[in-house]
Amino acid sequence: MPAPTSARSPAAADFAPAAGGLLTVDLAAIEANYRHLARLAAPARVAGVVKADAYGLGAVPVTRRLIAAGCRHFFVALLSEAIELRPLMPAGAMLAVLNGLAPGSEREAAVAGIVPVLNSLAQLRAWAALAHDLATPLPAILQVDTGMSRLGLSPSEVDALADDAGMRVGLDLLYVMSHLGCADEPTHPANRAQLAVFTAAKAKLGIATASLANSAGIFLGPDYHFDLCRPGAAVYGLDVGPAAHGIRPVIGLKARVAQIRTIPAGASIGYGYTFTATLEMRLATLSVGYADGWPRALGNVGAAFIDGVSLPFTGRVSMDSATIDISALPKGRLAPGSLVDLIAAEQSADDVGRLTGTIGYEILTNIGRRYARRYIG
Ligand SMILES: *Cc1c(COP(=O)(O)O)cnc(C)c1O
């Protein structure tokens, strides 16, 4: 008997007909972007920022690939994220928690060998007290606020710490760090101002090694690199401002056609009947909606693509579906089960962000769990 075409055959798995769409993540492009940033930042080291499930692309496969590319410093936002990734870390790697530790979670972090970013003197005292209890020095990164007013020691806390060496007993401060608020605007005066505040705080605290730049900060030049850079977005192919160059796209996103129909002039489309056909139209209903992170703000805005042809969204985006106008395509080009491009050469995640009043970061991190995923490269 000939082998039946089974759902387990590679071709069928690629096609993933059970899912409403397909997310393709190019790990070779992630590695190329990481290596490009590492070359720009050298001799500074370059960490991988893999918070928020590596910006929605899958923290485990992305972290594995970055480790294979030589990355040995990782940042996540939360302790829960660090605990999940800890087993992947090779000996000697650093895994740090940007948001610091919530009171009561210090011991769990220490036992797991996770490095907190200490964002206040209260966090510093709690970590030093645990080092005392455990009778062992504990590593940490000290964040100072240089202007964003988000996380990190205030200027008066920096002074208090600089004046009292006793507060640091038991702490192995690996880096002093801060974060840039406007690095994607290279000419913004805040960049130089934050750099000056950071350099002064570093000197005052007498910490030899420092970390300031995110992706966009790397492109501001060597003054901003210090010893460790922390890119996320550029590794994942996002546009991080006018100074950025040499970054490859990383993802492709496709939606599956659920149904094709022809409607007469006068028929309306979707919730609220926000679109009414003035001519006969051919439509495709896609099995992707705002529950998949495809923004509801794309109702009657933006397009899907196939063969370079733009297929405008018509009517509102629903939770699990959205409708596109396929009148411009030859009849039969699409059928139920076909895939159309949402994010591809014609339209980046940044473009979708611009169309919907947000940024590519939000589009990526909102990509839901319902897409079939294919890792290539
Ligand atoms: C998210 C984050 C980064 C990475 O920023 P990108 O703009 O994605 O490169 C670096 N540092 C801190 C403190 C962050 O919160």
Side-chain angles (χ1 to χ4, degrees), residues 49 51 55 98 143 150 177 179 214-216 230-234 361:
V49 178
K51 62 190 181 186
Y55 291 40
L98 290 166
Q143 175 152 226
R150 189 177 74 166
M177 76 164 256
H179 191 49
N214 60 348
S215 300
R230 307 185 309 271
Y361 292 63

Side-chain angles (χ1 to χ4, degrees), residues 321-349:
S321 65
T323 309
I324 53 174
D325 177 4
I326 61 166
S327 306
L329 288 178
K331 277 208 172 89
R333 175 64 186 87
L334 291 178
S338 303
L339 293 168
V340 297
D341 289 317
L342 298 178
I343 295 176
E346 296 89 344
Q347 176 164 268
S348 67

Side-chain angles (χ1 to χ4, degrees), residues 118 124-125 127-129 131 136-140 167-173:
L118 303 175
L124 181 140
R125 285 192 199 94
W127 196 238
T136 182
L138 288 177
M167 290 174 78
R168 281 155 68 162
V169 170
L171 300 181
D172 177 13
L173 296 178

Side-chain angles (χ1 to χ4, degrees), residues 113-137:
I114 288 159
V115 176
V117 173
L118 303 175
N119 288 314
S120 67
L121 288 187
Q123 288 180 4
L124 181 140
R125 285 192 199 94
W127 196 238
L130 182 62
H132 182 264
D133 289 354
L134 298 175
T136 182

Side-chain angles (χ1 to χ4, degrees), residues 14-35:
D14 280 356
F15 189 59
L22 178 64
L23 170 66
T24 302
V25 178
D26 184 347
L27 292 170
I30 287 179
E31 175 169 350
N33 290 338
Y34 174 78
R35 289 184 185 279

Side-chain angles (χ1 to χ4, degrees), residues 290 294-302 313 315-317 352-353 355-358:
Y290 61 76
W294 193 249
R296 189 170 176 278
L298 284 177
N300 295 314
V301 174
F313 283 95
R316 285 191 184 146
V317 172
V352 176
L355 285 171
T356 55
T358 181

Side-chain angles (χ1 to χ4, degrees), residues 20-21 254-256 286-290 292 294 319-322 342 371:
K254 292 177 191 286
R256 188 175 306 289
L286 307 178
S287 284
V288 161
Y290 61 76
D292 303 291
W294 193 249
M319 184 185 292
D320 316 296
S321 65
L342 298 178
Y371 291 94

